[in-house]
């Protein structure tokens, strides 16, 4: 049962992710990278794979983890669903016994003991923002997801010191950078994440103060 989808918004996940990289599933290469905060990305590479699989995430707490199932009748989808389920079970056993999570439990913190996978997809080339609109665009963001979308659309992703995808982000630096970029770009995509995160946590006053 999922108690907290973000394990108390744990951020120092590098040792946990390094441990996950030791998981092996036959006939597939698994690439794992840290994302913003509690998040990570997993890439499966190999034969007989498909993105037509369901999610494990119910998106609300106090619900069981869903078993991933194929969304079509192909062998590739069935194979991928099985790989993901096997990976999640192995990850759960590994993480539950990890020293970091044992220490978190001793300190009355939620352990990050499950990898809740969702949002399966496959890369498909798309026209760049410039090709489609004949406009020059830049991206200012802290979270990896938004930078990735910017890169995929051919935007220039601008790294701003202090820009993060959480409440500790340097808003002044992001806004100043955006204002400067507008003299050279037709469009600047500026992403601010913390209001969304605080709302997800039900932190009304935190969101109010951040705004």
């Amino acid at each position: 049962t999922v108690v907290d989808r973000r394990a108390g918004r744990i951020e120092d996940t590098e040792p946990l992710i390094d441990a996950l990289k030791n998981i092996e599933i036959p006939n597939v290469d698994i690439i794992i990278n840290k994302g913003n905060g509690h998040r990570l990305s997993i890439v499966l590479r190999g034969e007989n794979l498909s993105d037509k699989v369901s999610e494990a995430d119910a998106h609300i707490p106090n619900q069981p983890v869903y078993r991933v199932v194929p969304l079509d009748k192909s062998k590739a989808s069935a194979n991928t669903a099985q790989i993901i389920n096997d990976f999640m079970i192995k990850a759960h056993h590994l993480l539950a016994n990890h020293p970091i999570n044992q220490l978190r439990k001793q300190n009355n913190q939620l352990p990050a003991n499950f990898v809740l996978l969702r949002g399966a997809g496959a890369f498909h080339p798309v026209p760049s923002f410039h090709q489609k609109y004949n406009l020059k665009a830049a991206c200012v963001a802290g979270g990896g997801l938004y930078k990735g979308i910017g890169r995929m659309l051919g935007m220039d992703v601008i790294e701003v010191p202090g820009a993060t995808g959480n409440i500790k982000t340097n808003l002044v630096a992001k806004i100043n950078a955006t204002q400067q970029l507008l003299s050279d770009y037709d469009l600047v995509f500026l992403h601010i994440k913390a209001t969304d995160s605080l709302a997800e946590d039900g932190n009304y006053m935190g969101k109010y103060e951040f705004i």
Side-chain angles (χ1 to χ4, degrees), residues 2-80:
V2 179
V3 177
D4 184 325
R5 295 171 62 247
R6 304 172 183 88
R9 289 202 179 273
I10 184 174
E11 292 196 12
D12 298 328
T13 58
E14 288 89 347
L16 299 176
I17 290 174
D18 286 342
L20 291 174
K21 291 178 180 179
N22 294 318
I23 294 176
E24 294 184 358
I25 306 288
N27 302 316
V28 65
D29 292 327
I30 303 174
I31 302 164
I32 308 174
N33 285 300
K34 178 176 170 56
N36 185 57
H38 58 280
R39 299 175 181 85
L40 53 73
S41 66
I42 295 181
V43 177
L44 304 180
R45 285 185 179 162
E47 301 295 326
N48 204 26
L49 298 174
S50 170
D51 61 341
K52 302 298 187 291
V53 292
S54 66
E55 299 189 345
D57 188 1
H59 293 271
I60 54 176
N62 303 315
Q63 294 291 319
V65 175
Y66 291 158
R67 182 172 179 81
V68 174
V69 298
L71 297 179
D72 61 24
K73 296 182 179 180
S74 70
K75 291 182 179 179
S77 296
N79 180 56
T80 306

Side-chain angles (χ1 to χ4, degrees), residues 160-176:
V160 178
T164 70
N166 58 44
I167 194 171
K168 297 176 184 177
T169 193
N170 189 334
L171 284 176
V172 172
K174 290 170 76 172
I175 291 169
N176 285 344

Side-chain angles (χ1 to χ4, degrees), residues 33 38 81 83 113 146 149 154-155 169 176 180 183 186-187 204:
N33 285 300
H38 58 280
I83 289 171
N113 60 5
Y146 317 103
I149 292 173
M155 295 181 177
T169 193
N176 285 344
Q180 293 172 10
S183 61
D186 301 299
L187 178 140
Y204 170 85

